[in-house]
Amino acid sequence: MSLSLRRNVTAGMPAALAALALLTAGCGGQDDNKPASGADRATSATPHGYVAGAQEAAEQQSRLVLNDPRTGATRVLDLITEKVHDVPRARGTAELTTDGRFGYFHAAGGTRILDTGAWTVDHGDHVHYYRAAIRDAGRLPAATGARVRSDAAVTAVVDENGRAVTYRRAGLEKGRADSPRTLPGKHAGAVVPYAEHLLTLTDDGKTARLEVYDREGRRVASPHAPCEEPSGDAVTRRGVVFGCADGALLVSADDGGFTAAEIPYGADVPAGERASSLRHRAGSDTLTSPAGDAAVWGLDVTERTWTRTETGPVVAANTAGEGSALLVLETDGALHGYDIATGKHLSKTKRLLTEVPKTPAADSTGPLIEVDRSRAYVNDPEGRRVYEIDYNDGLRIARTFDLDMKPALMAETGR
Protein backbone atom coordinates (compact mmCIF):
# COMPACT_ATOMS: atom_id res chain seq x y z
CA MET A 1 0.00 0.00 0.00
CA SER A 2 1.43 3.41 -0.93
CA LEU A 3 1.51 6.02 1.84
CA SER A 4 1.72 9.79 1.61
CA LEU A 5 4.32 11.20 3.99
CA ARG A 6 6.95 13.90 4.32
CA ARG A 7 10.53 12.68 4.28
CA ASN A 8 12.52 13.13 7.50
CA VAL A 9 16.11 13.84 6.47
CA THR A 10 18.90 14.18 9.02
CA ALA A 11 21.40 16.98 8.55
CA GLY A 12 24.70 15.88 7.11
CA MET A 13 26.76 18.96 8.03
CA PRO A 14 28.91 18.96 11.19
CA ALA A 15 27.41 20.55 14.32
CA ALA A 16 29.78 23.52 14.24
CA LEU A 17 28.86 24.36 10.64
CA ALA A 18 25.17 23.92 11.35
CA ALA A 19 25.45 26.25 14.33
CA LEU A 20 27.35 28.78 12.21
CA ALA A 21 24.63 28.61 9.58
CA LEU A 22 22.06 29.32 12.26
CA LEU A 23 23.91 32.36 13.55
CA THR A 24 24.73 33.86 10.16
CA ALA A 25 21.56 33.08 8.27
CA GLY A 26 19.10 33.20 11.15
CA CYS A 27 17.25 30.30 9.53
CA GLY A 28 14.82 32.74 7.98
CA GLY A 29 16.91 34.46 5.32
CA GLN A 30 16.10 37.99 6.59
CA ASP A 31 18.87 40.58 6.17
CA ASP A 32 19.53 41.93 9.68
CA ASN A 33 20.84 45.20 8.18
CA LYS A 34 17.66 45.83 6.22
CA PRO A 35 14.81 47.71 7.90
CA ALA A 36 11.95 45.36 8.64
CA SER A 37 8.61 45.80 6.94
CA GLY A 38 5.40 45.61 8.90
CA ALA A 39 5.03 41.93 8.05
CA ASP A 40 8.67 41.31 8.99
CA ARG A 41 8.17 43.04 12.33
CA ALA A 42 5.15 40.87 13.03
CA THR A 43 7.01 37.63 12.36
CA SER A 44 10.19 38.75 14.17
CA ALA A 45 8.23 38.75 17.43
CA THR A 46 8.34 34.95 17.25
CA PRO A 47 11.52 34.17 15.29
CA HIS A 48 12.02 30.86 13.53
CA GLY A 49 12.98 28.21 16.07
CA TYR A 50 11.59 30.17 19.02
CA VAL A 51 10.60 28.00 22.01
CA ALA A 52 8.91 29.67 24.97
CA GLY A 53 10.96 29.38 28.14
CA ALA A 54 14.06 28.06 26.36
CA GLN A 55 17.34 29.65 25.35
CA GLU A 56 18.75 28.81 21.92
CA ALA A 57 22.46 27.98 21.86
CA ALA A 58 25.15 27.69 19.18
CA GLU A 59 26.24 24.19 20.22
CA GLN A 60 24.75 20.99 21.56
CA GLN A 61 23.75 21.32 25.22
CA SER A 62 24.74 17.92 26.58
CA ARG A 63 23.69 16.82 30.05
CA LEU A 64 24.05 13.53 31.93
CA VAL A 65 21.19 12.18 34.04
CA LEU A 66 22.55 10.09 36.94
CA ASN A 67 20.71 7.94 39.47
CA ASP A 68 21.40 5.64 42.40
CA PRO A 69 18.42 3.25 42.60
CA ARG A 70 19.19 2.23 46.20
CA THR A 71 19.15 5.71 47.75
CA GLY A 72 17.18 7.45 45.02
CA ALA A 73 19.82 10.19 44.71
CA THR A 74 19.48 11.83 41.31
CA ARG A 75 21.69 14.42 39.64
CA VAL A 76 21.86 16.19 36.29
CA LEU A 77 25.42 17.00 35.24
CA ASP A 78 25.62 19.90 32.78
CA LEU A 79 28.57 19.09 30.52
CA ILE A 80 28.78 22.68 29.25
CA THR A 81 28.91 24.50 32.60
CA GLU A 82 30.10 21.48 34.68
CA LYS A 83 27.39 22.34 37.22
CA VAL A 84 25.76 19.41 39.02
CA HIS A 85 22.02 19.89 39.59
CA ASP A 86 20.39 18.13 42.54
CA VAL A 87 16.86 17.00 41.58
CA PRO A 88 14.16 15.09 43.52
CA ARG A 89 14.99 11.50 44.41
CA ALA A 90 13.90 8.53 42.31
CA ARG A 91 14.29 5.44 44.48
CA GLY A 92 13.93 1.92 43.11
CA THR A 93 14.70 2.77 39.49
CA ALA A 94 15.21 -0.45 37.54
CA GLU A 95 16.18 1.27 34.29
CA LEU A 96 16.94 4.81 33.14
CA THR A 97 16.31 5.68 29.50
CA THR A 98 16.04 8.86 27.45
CA ASP A 99 14.66 10.15 24.17
CA GLY A 100 17.21 12.95 23.94
CA ARG A 101 15.39 15.41 26.21
CA PHE A 102 13.42 13.54 28.86
CA GLY A 103 14.86 11.07 31.33
CA TYR A 104 12.54 8.13 32.10
CA PHE A 105 12.98 6.46 35.50
CA HIS A 106 11.36 3.04 35.21
CA ALA A 107 10.27 1.57 38.55
CA ALA A 108 7.72 -0.91 39.90
CA GLY A 109 5.16 1.82 40.63
CA GLY A 110 5.38 3.55 37.24
CA THR A 111 7.74 5.67 35.20
CA ARG A 112 8.77 9.11 36.41
CA ILE A 113 9.61 11.70 33.73
CA LEU A 114 12.31 14.32 34.19
CA ASP A 115 12.62 17.17 31.70
CA THR A 116 16.39 17.72 31.61
CA GLY A 117 16.01 21.04 29.80
CA ALA A 118 18.44 20.18 26.98
CA TRP A 119 17.50 19.05 23.50
CA THR A 120 18.18 19.32 19.76
CA VAL A 121 15.66 19.98 16.97
CA ASP A 122 16.76 18.79 13.52
CA HIS A 123 15.06 20.56 10.59
CA GLY A 124 16.99 18.62 7.97
CA ASP A 125 19.03 21.47 6.48
CA HIS A 126 19.89 22.97 9.88
CA VAL A 127 19.56 22.24 13.58
CA HIS A 128 18.58 24.12 16.73
CA TYR A 129 20.09 23.56 20.19
CA TYR A 130 18.13 24.50 23.30
CA ARG A 131 18.61 24.73 27.05
CA ALA A 132 15.96 25.39 29.67
CA ALA A 133 15.19 24.77 33.33
CA ILE A 134 15.23 21.22 34.68
CA ARG A 135 11.85 20.11 36.03
CA ASP A 136 9.58 17.17 36.70
CA ALA A 137 7.29 16.31 33.78
CA GLY A 138 4.82 13.92 35.41
CA ARG A 139 4.53 10.15 35.50
CA LEU A 140 3.49 7.34 33.21
CA PRO A 141 1.49 4.40 34.57
CA ALA A 142 3.73 1.91 32.70
CA ALA A 143 6.17 0.36 35.18
CA THR A 144 9.42 -1.61 35.03
CA GLY A 145 9.93 -3.10 31.58
CA ALA A 146 8.20 -0.27 29.72
CA ARG A 147 9.71 0.84 26.42
CA VAL A 148 9.46 4.56 25.61
CA ARG A 149 10.24 6.06 22.19
CA SER A 150 9.60 9.61 20.90
CA ASP A 151 9.80 12.03 18.02
CA ALA A 152 8.94 15.73 17.92
CA ALA A 153 5.17 15.11 18.03
CA VAL A 154 4.42 11.91 19.92
CA THR A 155 5.76 9.65 22.67
CA ALA A 156 4.90 5.95 22.45
CA VAL A 157 4.96 3.71 25.52
CA VAL A 158 4.71 -0.09 25.49
CA ASP A 159 4.23 -1.76 28.87
CA GLU A 160 5.52 -5.16 29.97
CA ASN A 161 2.32 -6.80 28.69
CA GLY A 162 2.69 -5.46 25.14
CA ARG A 163 0.02 -2.77 25.46
CA ALA A 164 0.93 0.43 23.59
CA VAL A 165 -0.21 3.97 24.42
CA THR A 166 0.81 7.23 22.78
CA TYR A 167 0.99 10.70 24.35
CA ARG A 168 1.19 14.14 22.77
CA ARG A 169 4.75 15.42 23.03
CA ALA A 170 3.48 18.96 23.58
CA GLY A 171 1.77 17.78 26.76
CA LEU A 172 4.96 16.26 28.17
CA GLU A 173 6.81 19.48 27.40
CA LYS A 174 4.28 21.25 29.64
CA GLY A 175 4.64 18.65 32.38
CA ARG A 176 1.49 16.68 31.58
CA ALA A 177 1.23 13.09 30.38
CA ASP A 178 -2.24 13.68 28.96
CA SER A 179 -4.36 12.72 25.94
CA PRO A 180 -3.35 9.02 25.93
CA ARG A 181 -4.32 7.02 22.85
CA THR A 182 -4.21 3.21 22.89
CA LEU A 183 -2.93 1.35 19.83
CA PRO A 184 -4.62 -1.91 18.86
CA GLY A 185 -2.92 -5.28 19.21
CA LYS A 186 -0.15 -6.72 21.34
CA HIS A 187 3.33 -5.39 20.62
CA ALA A 188 6.50 -7.46 20.78
CA GLY A 189 8.85 -4.53 21.36
CA ALA A 190 8.91 -0.76 21.25
CA VAL A 191 6.57 1.31 19.09
CA VAL A 192 8.93 3.65 17.21
CA PRO A 193 7.76 7.03 15.88
CA TYR A 194 9.33 7.54 12.45
CA ALA A 195 8.54 9.60 9.34
CA GLU A 196 5.30 10.91 10.88
CA HIS A 197 4.09 7.33 11.50
CA LEU A 198 4.46 4.63 14.15
CA LEU A 199 6.38 1.44 13.41
CA THR A 200 5.82 -1.65 15.52
CA LEU A 201 6.23 -5.42 15.55
CA THR A 202 2.94 -7.02 16.56
CA ASP A 203 3.13 -10.16 18.64
CA ASP A 204 1.35 -13.25 17.33
CA GLY A 205 3.30 -15.79 19.35
CA LYS A 206 6.84 -16.48 18.20
CA THR A 207 7.16 -14.50 14.98
CA ALA A 208 6.36 -10.79 15.10
CA ARG A 209 5.35 -8.86 12.00
CA LEU A 210 5.84 -5.25 11.01
CA GLU A 211 2.83 -2.93 11.21
CA VAL A 212 2.63 0.76 10.32
CA TYR A 213 0.18 3.11 12.07
CA ASP A 214 -0.54 6.77 11.60
CA ARG A 215 -0.24 9.09 14.60
CA GLU A 216 -3.94 8.71 15.30
CA GLY A 217 -3.46 4.99 15.87
CA ARG A 218 -4.94 3.75 12.60
CA ARG A 219 -3.19 0.86 10.84
CA VAL A 220 -2.18 2.09 7.39
CA ALA A 221 0.15 -0.66 6.15
CA SER A 222 1.25 -4.20 6.95
CA PRO A 223 4.41 -4.91 4.95
CA HIS A 224 5.27 -8.58 4.70
CA ALA A 225 8.24 -8.41 7.06
CA PRO A 226 8.48 -11.06 9.79
CA CYS A 227 10.91 -10.74 12.70
CA GLU A 228 11.42 -13.79 14.85
CA GLU A 229 12.18 -13.18 18.55
CA PRO A 230 12.60 -9.38 18.26
CA SER A 231 15.10 -7.71 20.58
CA GLY A 232 16.28 -4.11 20.47
CA ASP A 233 15.63 -1.20 18.11
CA ALA A 234 17.34 1.98 16.94
CA VAL A 235 16.56 4.97 14.73
CA THR A 236 19.27 5.77 12.17
CA ARG A 237 19.55 8.07 9.16
CA ARG A 238 18.78 5.05 6.97
CA GLY A 239 15.65 4.04 8.84
CA VAL A 240 14.53 2.10 11.90
CA VAL A 241 16.40 -1.08 12.81
CA PHE A 242 14.75 -3.91 14.75
CA GLY A 243 16.88 -6.75 16.10
CA CYS A 244 15.67 -10.25 15.12
CA ALA A 245 16.79 -13.83 15.76
CA ASP A 246 18.50 -14.07 12.34
CA GLY A 247 19.92 -10.53 12.27
CA ALA A 248 18.03 -7.29 11.83
CA LEU A 249 15.13 -5.72 9.96
CA LEU A 250 15.67 -2.25 8.42
CA VAL A 251 12.51 -0.24 7.78
CA SER A 252 12.80 2.91 5.67
CA ALA A 253 10.45 5.55 4.27
CA ASP A 254 10.62 5.26 0.49
CA ASP A 255 8.72 7.23 -2.16
CA GLY A 256 5.69 7.81 0.01
CA GLY A 257 5.59 4.29 1.44
CA PHE A 258 7.67 1.98 3.60
CA THR A 259 10.14 -0.71 2.65
CA ALA A 260 11.62 -3.42 4.86
CA ALA A 261 14.94 -5.15 4.23
CA GLU A 262 16.49 -8.04 6.13
CA ILE A 263 20.12 -7.79 7.28
CA PRO A 264 21.03 -11.39 8.22
CA TYR A 265 24.03 -12.41 10.29
CA GLY A 266 25.09 -14.66 7.45
CA ALA A 267 25.40 -17.72 9.69
CA ASP A 268 23.50 -19.42 12.49
CA VAL A 269 24.10 -17.54 15.73
CA PRO A 270 23.30 -19.18 19.11
CA ALA A 271 20.63 -17.37 21.11
CA GLY A 272 23.12 -16.27 23.76
CA GLU A 273 25.34 -14.57 21.17
CA ARG A 274 22.71 -12.59 19.26
CA ALA A 275 22.51 -8.81 19.43
CA SER A 276 20.26 -8.26 22.44
CA SER A 277 20.44 -4.46 22.49
CA LEU A 278 21.38 -1.89 19.86
CA ARG A 279 23.43 1.08 21.03
CA HIS A 280 24.89 3.89 18.94
CA ARG A 281 25.60 7.59 18.76
CA ALA A 282 22.44 9.49 17.93
CA GLY A 283 22.50 10.14 14.18
CA SER A 284 25.02 7.39 13.46
CA ASP A 285 24.42 4.43 11.14
CA THR A 286 26.68 2.02 13.04
CA LEU A 287 25.09 -0.02 15.85
CA THR A 288 26.73 -2.16 18.53
CA SER A 289 25.72 -4.94 20.89
CA PRO A 290 27.54 -7.51 23.03
CA ALA A 291 27.83 -10.83 21.16
CA GLY A 292 27.75 -13.13 24.14
CA ASP A 293 30.33 -12.75 26.90
CA ALA A 294 33.52 -12.14 24.92
CA ALA A 295 32.74 -10.39 21.63
CA VAL A 296 30.85 -7.41 20.20
CA TRP A 297 28.63 -7.08 17.15
CA GLY A 298 28.92 -4.06 14.88
CA LEU A 299 26.11 -3.42 12.38
CA ASP A 300 26.86 -1.08 9.49
CA VAL A 301 23.37 -0.05 8.43
CA THR A 302 24.59 1.71 5.29
CA GLU A 303 26.46 -1.35 4.00
CA ARG A 304 23.95 -3.73 5.62
CA THR A 305 26.67 -5.92 7.11
CA TRP A 306 27.41 -7.41 10.52
CA THR A 307 30.95 -7.61 11.93
CA ARG A 308 31.91 -9.61 15.00
CA THR A 309 34.90 -8.38 17.00
CA GLU A 310 36.55 -10.77 19.45
CA THR A 311 37.28 -8.56 22.45
CA GLY A 312 37.38 -10.65 25.58
CA PRO A 313 34.82 -10.32 28.40
CA VAL A 314 32.51 -7.33 27.79
CA VAL A 315 30.82 -4.99 30.26
CA ALA A 316 29.46 -2.47 27.71
CA ALA A 317 30.03 -1.34 24.11
CA ASN A 318 29.27 1.62 21.85
CA THR A 319 30.72 3.58 18.94
CA ALA A 320 30.51 6.99 17.33
CA GLY A 321 30.42 5.22 13.94
CA GLU A 322 31.61 6.66 10.62
CA GLY A 323 35.22 5.49 10.92
CA SER A 324 35.50 5.86 14.70
CA ALA A 325 36.72 3.09 16.95
CA LEU A 326 34.53 0.45 18.53
CA LEU A 327 34.52 1.33 22.24
CA VAL A 328 34.42 -1.62 24.63
CA LEU A 329 34.41 -1.48 28.42
CA GLU A 330 35.95 -4.78 29.50
CA THR A 331 36.22 -6.72 32.73
CA ASP A 332 39.72 -5.37 33.37
CA GLY A 333 37.89 -2.12 34.17
CA ALA A 334 39.47 -0.27 31.21
CA LEU A 335 37.97 1.18 28.05
CA HIS A 336 39.39 -0.38 24.86
CA GLY A 337 39.30 0.84 21.28
CA TYR A 338 39.08 -1.54 18.28
CA ASP A 339 39.01 -1.12 14.54
CA ILE A 340 35.52 -2.33 13.62
CA ALA A 341 36.53 -3.44 10.13
CA THR A 342 39.60 -5.48 11.09
CA GLY A 343 39.08 -6.23 14.77
CA LYS A 344 42.52 -4.83 15.55
CA HIS A 345 43.05 -3.55 19.09
CA LEU A 346 43.97 0.15 18.87
CA SER A 347 44.15 1.63 22.36
CA LYS A 348 43.05 1.41 25.98
CA THR A 349 42.69 3.61 29.03
CA LYS A 350 43.83 3.03 32.56
CA ARG A 351 41.42 1.10 34.80
CA LEU A 352 38.26 3.21 35.04
CA LEU A 353 35.97 0.97 37.07
CA THR A 354 36.50 0.68 40.81
CA GLU A 355 34.41 -2.49 40.78
CA VAL A 356 33.57 -4.60 37.73
CA PRO A 357 30.03 -6.06 37.50
CA LYS A 358 29.67 -9.79 37.07
CA THR A 359 27.35 -9.53 34.06
CA PRO A 360 27.27 -7.17 31.04
CA ALA A 361 25.10 -4.08 31.18
CA ALA A 362 21.59 -4.48 29.76
CA ASP A 363 20.16 -1.28 28.30
CA SER A 364 21.08 1.47 30.81
CA THR A 365 21.84 -0.60 33.93
CA GLY A 366 25.34 -0.64 35.42
CA PRO A 367 28.47 0.89 33.88
CA LEU A 368 27.95 1.84 30.25
CA ILE A 369 29.26 4.06 27.49
CA GLU A 370 27.37 7.10 26.23
CA VAL A 371 28.68 8.63 22.99
CA ASP A 372 28.05 11.99 21.36
CA ARG A 373 29.68 13.91 18.49
CA SER A 374 33.07 14.35 20.17
CA ARG A 375 33.19 12.59 23.52
CA ALA A 376 32.29 9.35 25.28
CA TYR A 377 31.21 9.04 28.91
CA VAL A 378 31.79 6.10 31.26
CA ASN A 379 30.17 5.91 34.71
CA ASP A 380 32.05 4.37 37.64
CA PRO A 381 29.32 3.75 40.24
CA GLU A 382 31.50 2.52 43.10
CA GLY A 383 34.08 5.22 42.48
CA ARG A 384 31.35 7.89 42.44
CA ARG A 385 32.61 9.48 39.26
CA VAL A 386 32.06 9.85 35.52
CA TYR A 387 34.90 9.93 32.98
CA GLU A 388 34.82 11.97 29.78
CA ILE A 389 36.82 10.30 27.00
CA ASP A 390 38.13 11.90 23.82
CA TYR A 391 37.73 8.92 21.50
CA ASN A 392 39.42 10.78 18.65
CA ASP A 393 42.63 11.20 20.66
CA GLY A 394 43.64 7.67 21.63
CA LEU A 395 40.95 7.43 24.36
CA ARG A 396 42.45 10.33 26.28
CA ILE A 397 40.67 11.08 29.57
CA ALA A 398 39.55 14.67 28.99
CA ARG A 399 37.71 15.30 32.26
CA THR A 400 36.80 13.44 35.44
CA PHE A 401 33.63 14.40 37.31
CA ASP A 402 33.63 13.46 41.01
CA LEU A 403 30.15 13.11 42.52
CA ASP A 404 28.48 12.88 45.92
CA MET A 405 26.42 9.83 44.90
CA LYS A 406 26.82 6.51 43.08
CA PRO A 407 25.94 7.03 39.39
CA ALA A 408 24.69 3.47 38.91
CA LEU A 409 22.40 4.58 36.05
CA MET A 410 23.32 7.13 33.39
CA ALA A 411 21.78 8.63 30.25
CA GLU A 412 22.85 11.56 28.07
CA THR A 413 20.39 14.20 26.86
CA GLY A 414 20.66 17.26 24.65
CA ARG A 415 20.97 15.16 21.49
Side-chain angles (χ1 to χ4, degrees):
M1 179 178 181
S2 178
L3 306 177
S4 176
L5 55 90
R6 177 175 58 82
R7 286 293 191 92
N8 186 7
V9 182
T10 302
M13 67 176 68
L17 293 180
L20 180 61
L22 273 174
L23 295 176
T24 58
C27 299
Q30 179 176 318
D31 185 349
D32 292 335
N33 296 319
K34 176 184 176 182
S37 66
D40 289 336
R41 286 193 295 270
T43 57
S44 65
T46 54
H48 173 66
Y50 171 79
V51 176
Q55 177 185 353
E56 188 165 2
E59 61 180 338
Q60 183 172 296
Q61 302 297 294
S62 298
R63 293 175 175 176
L64 294 178
V65 187
L66 307 164
N67 176 258
D68 180 353
R70 186 181 63 83
T71 66
T74 305
R75 306 285 186 268
V76 176
L77 169 59
D78 190 319
L79 295 168
I80 304 298
T81 66
E82 299 189 0
K83 181 178 180 180
V84 179
H85 299 265
D86 188 0
V87 297
R89 293 177 179 269
R91 187 177 281 108
T93 304
E95 185 181 3
L96 171 61
T97 62
T98 183
D99 56 15
R101 173 174 177 173
F102 296 97
Y104 298 95
F105 299 78
H106 305 269
T111 298
R112 172 190 163 194
I113 311 171
L114 178 70
D115 185 347
T116 69
W119 69 97
T120 296
V121 177
D122 188 344
H123 286 296
D125 60 346
H126 65 276
V127 293
H128 295 264
Y129 304 108
Y130 297 100
R131 60 185 297 117
I134 301 167
R135 61 193 178 93
D136 278 316
R139 297 181 67 87
L140 299 172
T144 300
R147 294 170 291 276
V148 183
R149 305 291 185 267
S150 302
D151 67 3
V154 66
T155 293
V157 182
V158 180
D159 66 19
E160 64 274 19
N161 298 315
R163 177 176 175 267
V165 177
T166 63
Y167 298 88
R168 292 174 56 252
R169 183 75 168 184
L172 295 184
E173 292 171 356
K174 296 177 181 178
R176 304 190 306 269
D178 57 6
S179 304
R181 189 185 301 273
T182 301
L183 296 183
K186 183 178 181 181
H187 304 266
V191 171
V192 183
Y194 173 69
E196 301 184 4
H197 287 74
L198 304 170
L199 306 184
T200 180
L201 297 171
T202 56
D203 186 359
D204 63 356
K206 185 177 182 180
T207 300
R209 297 188 179 279
L210 176 66
E211 302 281 359
V212 180
Y213 295 84
D214 64 19
R215 285 176 172 167
E216 302 302 314
R218 295 182 292 263
R219 184 184 289 108
V220 294
S222 299
H224 181 68
C227 178
E228 186 176 341
E229 299 177 21
S231 178
D233 58 271
V235 178
T236 75
R237 290 175 300 177
R238 305 289 175 178
V240 177
V241 178
F242 293 101
C244 308
D246 58 355
L249 186 68
L250 171 63
V251 184
S252 305
D254 182 44
D255 293 331
F258 290 89
T259 60
E262 296 180 356
I263 309 177
Y265 289 120
D268 290 336
V269 176
E273 298 180 11
R274 297 169 186 163
S276 58
S277 62
L278 299 172
R279 294 186 61 81
H280 71 319
R281 174 182 62 80
S284 168
D285 291 333
T286 304
L287 311 180
T288 65
S289 175
D293 296 330
V296 174
W297 287 112
L299 172 57
D300 186 326
V301 180
T302 302
E303 298 297 327
R304 301 186 183 184
T305 57
W306 290 92
T307 303
R308 179 186 171 103
T309 301
E310 303 296 333
T311 60
V314 177
V315 176
N318 210 332
T319 184
E322 300 176 357
S324 296
L326 171 65
L327 304 178
V328 184
L329 190 59
E330 301 188 16
T331 53
D332 61 359
L335 182 67
H336 296 250
Y338 294 85
D339 185 302
I340 296 180
T342 66
K344 180 182 178 181
H345 186 271
L346 302 174
S347 54
K348 65 175 290 188
T349 66
K350 69 176 185 179
R351 182 184 177 97
L352 302 181
L353 299 183
T354 302
E355 182 177 308
V356 177
K358 296 180 180 179
T359 57
D363 296 321
S364 68
T365 58
L368 52 80
I369 308 165
E370 288 281 6
V371 180
D372 59 29
R373 289 181 178 271
S374 62
R375 296 290 189 266
Y377 298 91
V378 176
N379 55 323
D380 174 23
E382 296 304 317
R384 298 188 175 215
R385 62 177 64 93
V386 172
Y387 293 97
E388 179 183 75
I389 308 295
D390 185 346
Y391 54 78
N392 290 316
D393 189 15
L395 303 187
R396 176 178 61 88
I397 298 175
R399 292 186 289 181
T400 301
F401 300 98
D402 293 310
L403 304 162
D404 63 350
M405 46 82 73
K406 293 183 178 181
L409 302 176
M410 178 177 73
E412 183 178 0
T413 64
R415 301 178 293 187

